[in-house]
Amino acid sequence: MMKKPTKLLLVAAALLTLAVANAQTRVNVWIYESFSGNDSPISKAAAEFMAQNPDIEINLIPTASTSSAYRDPFMVAAQGGGGPDVLMADIAWSPEFAAMGIVKDLSGHMAGKEDEFFPGPLDTLRYEGGIFGVPFYTNALGMFYNKTAFQEAGLPLPDADWTWDDFRTAVDTLSDGEMYGFGLEGAWGGTFEWYPWFWQAGGQLLSDDGTTPTFNSEAGLEATRFFLDIVTNPRYVPEAAKTWKGWAELAAAFSNKVIAMYEVGDWGIAMVDGMNPPFEWGVAPLPANGQRASLVGGANWVMNANTKVEDAAWRWLEYVTGPAVFPLMDGYNRVAARRGAAEAQEIVKNDPRMQVLTASLEFAKARPTVPLWTTVDYDCLQPAFVRVILEGADVTSEMANAEMCALDVLR
Amino acid sequence: MLKRGQEGSVAPGATDRRPGRLHRSWPGYVLVVPAMLALVGVIGYPLVRAFVMSLHKIILIRPQLGQPFVGLENYATVLKSPYFANAIWQTFVWTSVNLVGQLVLGLLIALLLNSAFPGRGIARSVMLIPWVIPSVVAVLTWKWMYDGQFGIVNSFLVRLGLIEKGVAWLGNTGTAMGAVLIESIWKGTPFVLIMLLAGLQAIPAELTDSASVDGANVWQRFRYVTFPFLKPTIVIAATLTTIYSYNNFNAIWLMTEGGPLRATETLTILTYKLAFRNFDMGSATAAGVLTFLVLLVFVVIFGRQYVKSQMEF
Amino acid sequence: MAAVGLRRRTRQLPAMLAAFLVCFVFAIPFLWMILTSLKLPSELFTSPVQVFPRSGVYWEAYTRIWTAGQFGRYFWNSTLVATVATGASVALSVFAAIGFARYKVRGGNYLLLGVLLSQLFPLVLLVPPFYAVMRELRILDTHLALVIAYTSFSLPFSIWMLTGYFRSIPAELEESAMIDGATRLGAQLRVILPLAGPGIAATVIYSFILAWNEFLFATTFISSPELRTLPIGLQSFIGQYSTDWNLLMAGAVVTTVPVIVLFVFLQRYLVAGLTAGAVKG
């Protein structure tokens, strides 16, 4: 039997909770600028959510999504005690945020929900036993190819079974002096496009404990030699690719028949379509080498460690990554990182090109989720690749250099 | 008359008209203090904080380490890094070419636009455009113009027959620095131009007139009349151009990110990378302080000229 | 009379041609921006390069920027912030420059040198401590934060420029004004300001453009969309995967032109007659 005062206190507490719950809780949400606009799908989703949860106000704040306008300001703000409550974040930023302690460990909330998401995107949120966000959308790299050029050259069209040798033959045949067989984002040494080839050869980037680089292996050398042999051939890849680092240049080069193939994900479809290429084109999975692989990209939701409205923020995340995410992502031509996306999303059902890319998600991998991997990529792998491309350096010795460098960074 | 100007002991246009004695009263301090307070509060305080950070080990992605005091360890780390030596060299090239390019171009154009001709006002306004264009957009436009496939620079050079096919100017170690420098000189020259134009206005017209009556040619008029008067302004312009080029981040970052192979990695770029890519705030601020010290040497050399000329009052 | 005018014209012709050529070369990137903004999106990246719009002029970018974002709002915000910061900076630096130029301030020249030192530290590193200060002052996400930052960052240049300028103006002029019964400061302001036209004009232009184009602080301190300034607005056309070149270029043109027009009016003060004449008199 409770004593009277305790009971009274309990009632008061309950009333107080009710009162607080009745006041609107405002959740500040950063979204990528490209997701914004009047009547954008996400503002409709927010309106729907607020109709269901009248106690919560979702304040969408579209922010330019380049690293210097999005990642850096969030880092500064969160470390200075401010910033939005929740935000979309590139999967490559998630481990950095987690390690800095500026986003919340959501493993409590995520308990029992892990199976609802694709494992690849979810892995990008795991850090030291915690789960530091919720997967939002995902994508995998495939190969865009100029179908007309393939047919005119008498080449078989790439299908799910094509191999490295088929790819090399195609590049060689299609590079006819007018057109180049292949194009890539060379400003970064092409490491972004290289990852899948590395995994297809059976390579592993890091030891399981995430502390030792293991990319300088037999498999690593095989893949890197194969890949850079093509990239360094001035007949196969245009000189201009050395400075390309945006997808627009590649889409334009592809649509203008400068390059016959390039690696890209689902975001490339609308870009190429928008340029009305005067030829037929298609999407193939990346060529295999005994095994298949692709690279996972996409975005997660993360929650600012400073937030004072965790419960409301979580309810929004739960909603926006729940079943409502399928129609939402249809509106953006993206694939949700939630299981069942391929079956539930109209854009996948209606577009065979999307189906190829979605099927590639099955074997797509994420880059290592140690927070310094970006640094290893920028400071070790890229210089090695660029030295091979610009100075004709030897792949074997450059991979050894990159390994030393990575050891130093990860120490 | 000309001799006196040559001593360069003056602010713009003051040769034979020195201001009277300085007033030794308290209003001087009252006038100076508000601006100084703003500077100390808004820039000085963060500067001191950054300096304190440079004495601590601050690895943002290892918050569990805390932020222990490590004395000069960060400085040792930075100084030992081979990248630092490279960055010093790149910074030297970057700053000095910017300085010379902007000053020479700015001076020539200022002299041109200072002469009387119809449409002079329009010309002055047009010359200001590069400086007014928001730098992010200006840099991206240049990057595009340099593109090996879609760039107008290559298309133009090919048409002139100077090159056979497009060159990735920003993608080769030999050309990247030059290409970025051209953008930065283009963008910075109007600022120098404005300062020098303002300085030229302070030269009494009867001086140049009488010099030309005396039969002095264009070069002599410049050497013995214009230049001595303009010298203090040139010193200021040189000092500021040095500082702004040195600290220019956007141009290099958006075009090359310091690459390829660190061929355009100046101290500012290195500092940013340390802070936002390696998350090592301690080393980044240490590199910033070292940057500061290196630049200080330059400024003291230039600035002493200025201070010396002012001291003679 | 006509013959003299003609002779003068002929004498001016080389300078005019040279000026035209120089202006053209410097304006090429801007012309490229204008041409880009007027091309159809499908004509932007072509190989070989296509200089002029082929299938008609595409004006849509210039209407779309006003509807796509809140460009009108950004415009107003930038105008507000830049005007207030310029006003504050010019006022503070006029007083400081009079102090340096006309009064014996102990160590004044070294203080002047010290003013410059504040500019020697990489700006990117000042952002985190700056953020902390603004937070402690509780002015994050306000225009005041930007006004304070921009005022301080244009002060060193302005103080230097004006001190040099004021020192070149003879003090006797003020003394005669004081005999007329004005206070010393009043006399100084009344005499110096009109004479320092070019210096003040240069200062105004400098401060205004600094505030008009600044991105780093604006993007860190301002989070509410309705408080953003033009450079952040422009940044929003640069996407994660692709850049909307039409909008970016149209936006940049719209951002640049008003400042140039403003300068067309201001540059009068950089013209000889005003100062040289006055100093002579």
Side-chain angles (χ1 to χ4, degrees):
Chain A
M1 213 31 226
M2 256 188 252
K3 280 186 200 155
K4 234 179 183 169
T6 328
K7 225 174 183 173
L8 249 166
L9 252 169
L10 269 176
V11 172
L15 278 172
L16 207 73
T17 324
L18 256 173
V20 170
N22 270 337
Q24 265 210 336
T25 313
R26 189 188 173 103
V27 182
N28 289 314
V29 181
W30 272 14
I31 56 170
Y32 291 169
E33 184 76 43
S34 53
F35 275 65
S36 73
N38 308 335
D39 300 329
S40 64
I42 197 154
S43 49
K44 281 186 199 147
E48 179 65 38
F49 172 79
M50 288 189 276
Q52 293 173 16
N53 300 273
D55 54 328
I56 298 175
E57 184 201 346
I58 296 296
N59 180 30
L60 294 176
I61 303 170
T63 305
S65 55
T66 52
S67 163
S68 59
Y70 199 98
R71 188 196 75 150
D72 298 358
F74 174 67
M75 264 175 64
V76 171
Q79 252 147 7
D85 298 303
V86 287
L87 62 154
M88 290 169 63
D90 194 279
I91 58 166
W93 300 336
S94 304
E96 299 170 353
F97 292 164
M100 280 184 252
I102 56 177
V103 293
K104 270 203 153 76
D105 180 0
L106 300 178
S107 39
H109 294 291
M110 287 291 279
K113 285 172 141 290
E114 292 177 35
D115 286 344
E116 293 174 14
F117 301 95
F118 291 129
L122 192 63
D123 282 346
T124 65
L125 290 162
R126 291 184 199 278
Y127 182 75
E128 296 192 340
I131 299 177
F132 287 80
V134 192
F136 187 30
Y137 65 82
T138 184
N139 48 49
L141 288 181
M143 187 74 76
F144 283 22
Y145 66 96
N146 183 326
K147 203 182 266 183
T148 309
F150 267 76
Q151 283 159 344
E152 281 169 4
L155 287 163
L157 293 182
D159 56 18
D161 297 321
W162 75 319
T163 62
W164 282 15
D165 287 336
D166 297 332
F167 171 72
R168 185 162 37 199
T169 312
V171 170
D172 187 66
T173 313
L174 293 167
S175 303
D176 57 2
E178 292 249 321
M179 191 190 255
Y180 297 88
F182 187 56
L184 76 166
E185 290 187 288
W188 285 311
T191 54
F192 187 81
E193 281 92 344
W194 161 85
Y195 284 110
W197 306 82
F198 175 82
W199 287 318
Q200 285 154 10
Q204 187 179 357
L205 291 163
L206 277 183
S207 61
D208 289 330
D209 64 356
T211 57
T212 320
T214 52
F215 52 75
N216 186 21
S217 57
E218 265 318 298
L221 284 172
E222 185 200 352
T224 312
R225 273 200 208 99
F226 177 86
F227 182 75
L228 287 180
D229 262 356
I230 287 173
V231 174
T232 50
N233 189 326
R235 210 165 64 82
Y236 292 167
V237 172
E239 153 91 6
K242 284 178 189 166
T243 59
W244 286 346
K245 61 175 179 184
W247 298 101
E249 289 111 310
L250 282 163
F254 183 68
S255 309
N256 278 288
K257 297 197 265 193
V258 175
I259 55 172
M261 285 185 275
Y262 75 111
E263 290 175 49
V264 64
D266 53 14
W267 64 89
I269 293 180
M271 291 174 77
V272 175
D273 277 345
M275 295 187 177
N276 301 315
F279 53 83
E280 271 194 76
W281 62 282
V283 180
L286 298 177
N289 180 46
Q291 51 185 312
R292 320 199 133 278
S294 182
L295 177 66
V296 166
N300 298 319
W301 285 102
V302 292
M303 193 186 293
N304 192 336
N306 300 322
T307 184
K308 294 184 178 69
V309 292
E310 179 171 350
D311 287 333
W314 171 252
R315 269 154 71 195
W316 161 249
L317 292 191
E318 207 173 21
Y319 173 81
V320 79
T321 60
V325 76
F326 297 132
L328 174 60
M329 281 301 133
D330 273 340
Y332 293 110
N333 273 306
R334 298 285 161 80
V335 178
R338 188 179 175 81
R339 281 188 198 274
E343 298 76 36
Q345 284 197 239
E346 298 298 323
I347 51 154
V348 182
K349 281 190 275 189
N350 299 335
D351 188 343
R353 298 172 301 187
M354 285 299 284
Q355 285 156 16
V356 171
L357 292 168
T358 315
S360 295
L361 283 170
E362 300 289 333
F363 45 79
K365 296 188 194 189
R367 281 157 287 181
T369 51
V370 296
L372 279 171
W373 183 259
T374 318
T375 311
V376 171
D377 189 321
Y378 277 111
D379 284 358
C380 307
L381 287 169
Q382 289 182 21
F385 281 41
V386 174
R387 269 192 293 270
V388 174
I389 295 170
L390 291 187
E391 298 173 348
D394 173 49
V395 171
T396 318
S397 63
E398 284 306 326
M399 284 299 270
N401 284 344
E403 184 184 20
M404 297 283 290
C405 165
L407 262 174
D408 197 44
V409 169
L410 294 169
R411 198 179 46 204
Chain B
M1 177 97 207
L2 297 181
K3 267 274 152 58
R4 267 189 78 188
Q6 230 179 317
E7 287 161 19
S9 60
V10 283
T15 12
D16 52 348
R17 280 179 246 259
R18 298 227 170 168
R21 66 188 164 72
L22 294 172
H23 312 287
R24 287 168 186 283
S25 46
W26 53 268
Y29 294 97
V30 176
L31 290 168
V32 170
V33 159
M36 293 301 127
L37 275 182
L39 281 171
V40 169
V42 180
I43 308 179
Y45 175 66
L47 258 174
V48 170
R49 246 168 111 145
F51 176 71
V52 172
M53 283 167 87
S54 76
L55 301 174
H56 291 78
K57 190 167 192 69
I58 306 173
I59 312 279
L60 295 181
I61 52 164
R62 305 233 163 89
Q64 64 276 17
L65 297 181
Q67 303 191 345
F69 179 83
V70 291
L72 297 177
E73 195 189 300
N74 290 323
Y75 290 87
T77 314
V78 170
L79 285 170
K80 264 189 277 175
S81 151
Y83 305 144
F84 187 70
N86 172 65
I88 295 260
W89 171 243
Q90 301 301 343
T91 308
F92 176 74
V93 174
W94 169 254
T95 311
S96 51
V97 177
N98 256 315
L99 174 65
V100 173
Q102 292 184 30
L103 273 189
V104 170
L105 270 178
L107 184 59
L108 289 177
I109 301 173
L111 291 172
L112 177 65
L113 296 189
N114 197 43
S115 61
F117 61 86
R120 177 170 74 160
I122 304 282
R124 283 179 176 162
S125 310
V126 170
M127 277 307 300
L128 203 68
I129 290 177
W131 186 31
V132 178
I133 299 173
S135 96
V136 173
V137 187
V139 175
L140 288 177
T141 306
W142 274 89
K143 183 170 183 292
W144 182 1
M145 296 201 311
Y146 280 136
D147 189 277
Q149 194 73 43
F150 305 109
I152 190 161
V153 171
N154 279 302
S155 145
F156 184 68
L157 294 176
V158 168
R159 219 165 284 176
L160 281 182
L162 291 174
I163 51 173
E164 215 171 290
K165 50 185 258 186
V167 175
W169 300 103
L170 295 168
N172 290 296
T173 43
T175 53
M177 179 55 100
V180 185
L181 271 167
I182 290 176
E183 192 276 344
S184 144
I185 291 174
W186 166 82
K187 186 111 176 71
T189 299
F191 170 62
V192 176
L193 172 71
I194 293 298
M195 290 192 65
L196 294 183
L197 264 179
L200 280 172
Q201 299 311 317
I203 301 178
E206 78 261 31
L207 269 188
T208 22
D209 291 349
S210 65
S212 44
V213 170
D214 293 347
N217 65 24
V218 175
W219 167 248
Q220 285 166 330
R221 280 205 309 262
F222 174 74
R223 178 69 189 81
Y224 296 108
V225 182
T226 312
F227 185 70
F229 268 97
L230 211 51
K231 208 172 144 197
T233 316
I234 293 178
V235 171
I236 301 180
T239 312
L240 292 170
T241 307
T242 307
I243 295 172
Y244 296 138
S245 316
Y246 197 93
N247 261 333
N248 188 335
F249 174 75
N250 270 348
I252 302 180
W253 185 256
L254 293 174
M255 284 213 235
T256 64
E257 298 200 1
L261 298 178
R262 301 181 188 262
T264 54
E265 187 173 283
T266 59
L267 284 167
T268 311
I269 299 289
L270 179 69
T271 308
Y272 174 82
K273 281 184 169 175
L274 283 171
F276 286 90
R277 280 234 177 114
N278 296 24
F279 310 110
D280 185 347
M281 273 294 168
S283 296
T285 41
V289 172
L290 289 169
T291 304
F292 179 89
L293 293 176
V294 174
L295 191 49
L296 191 62
V297 175
F298 277 92
V299 169
V300 165
I301 293 170
F302 278 120
R304 236 205 349 227
Q305 278 265 357
Y306 179 79
V307 168
K308 235 191 341 203
S309 70
Q310 302 298 324
M311 283 303 198
E312 289 170 23
F313 286 120
Chain C
M1 191 67 191
V4 173
L6 192 70
R7 235 183 50 211
R8 205 177 57 208
R9 283 276 156 77
T10 350
R11 230 180 39 222
Q12 290 169 346
L13 200 66
M16 209 173 135
L17 285 177
F20 177 78
L21 196 74
V22 170
C23 286
F24 178 71
V25 170
F26 269 77
I28 286 175
F30 189 62
L31 297 175
W32 182 247
M33 288 166 61
I34 296 179
L35 285 170
T36 303
S37 69
L38 297 175
K39 282 183 210 165
L40 280 172
S42 60
E43 291 181 334
L44 291 177
F45 288 97
T46 51
S47 186
V49 178
Q50 183 187 320
V51 178
F52 296 99
R54 194 177 293 156
S55 31
V57 176
Y58 176 82
W59 291 108
E60 221 177 288
Y62 287 89
T63 50
R64 257 173 66 213
I65 47 168
W66 303 104
T67 51
Q70 295 177 291
F71 219 70
R73 176 64 71 88
Y74 304 154
F75 220 95
W76 164 246
N77 291 340
S78 272
T79 310
L80 183 75
V81 169
T83 309
V84 176
T86 304
S89 169
V90 170
L92 282 174
S93 52
V94 161
F95 286 120
I98 290 181
F100 281 126
R102 288 289 186 266
Y103 295 90
K104 180 110 187 152
V105 176
R106 202 178 294 273
N109 285 313
Y110 290 102
L111 208 56
L112 210 47
L113 202 57
V115 164
L116 266 193
L117 297 185
S118 58
Q119 305 264 305
L120 305 191
F121 202 76
L123 212 55
V124 273
L125 286 186
L126 288 184
V127 171
F130 230 125
Y131 185 91
V133 173
M134 297 298 179
R135 208 178 119 79
E136 280 150 23
L137 294 174
R138 297 184 182 282
I139 53 171
L140 273 180
D141 204 19
T142 65
H143 286 152
L144 184 61
L146 295 184
V147 167
I148 290 178
Y150 300 162
T151 304
S152 326
F153 277 88
S154 58
L155 269 181
F157 167 79
S158 308
I159 294 176
W160 265 56
M161 185 76 201
L162 291 181
T163 304
Y165 231 89
F166 292 176
R167 277 178 175 165
S168 75
I169 296 167
E172 291 84 10
L173 295 177
E174 293 150 29
E175 259 135 47
S176 51
M178 272 178 67
I179 295 167
D180 298 344
T183 63
R184 168 158 288 144
L185 185 61
Q188 281 161 343
L189 285 175
R190 239 184 23 221
V191 172
I192 290 180
L193 287 188
L195 294 186
I200 292 178
T203 310
V204 167
I205 294 166
Y206 175 78
S207 317
F208 193 85
I209 292 179
L210 182 138
W212 190 257
N213 285 347
E214 202 284 330
F215 171 72
L216 194 59
F217 288 117
T219 191
T220 314
F221 297 159
I222 300 295
S223 48
S224 305
E226 63 275 10
L227 293 179
R228 289 177 182 168
T229 53
L230 280 169
I232 317 181
L234 285 174
Q235 188 80 21
S236 68
F237 301 133
I238 304 169
Q240 188 191 18
Y241 294 120
S242 67
T243 296
D244 195 328
W245 285 103
N246 286 105
L247 290 191
L248 183 67
M249 294 302 172
V253 171
V254 168
T255 307
T256 305
V257 168
V259 184
I260 297 295
V261 171
L262 182 76
F263 181 71
V264 171
F265 292 105
L266 257 183
Q267 65 96 24
R268 249 172 352 119
Y269 296 98
L270 285 171
V271 174
L274 209 90
T275 45
V279 173
K280 258 183 244 160

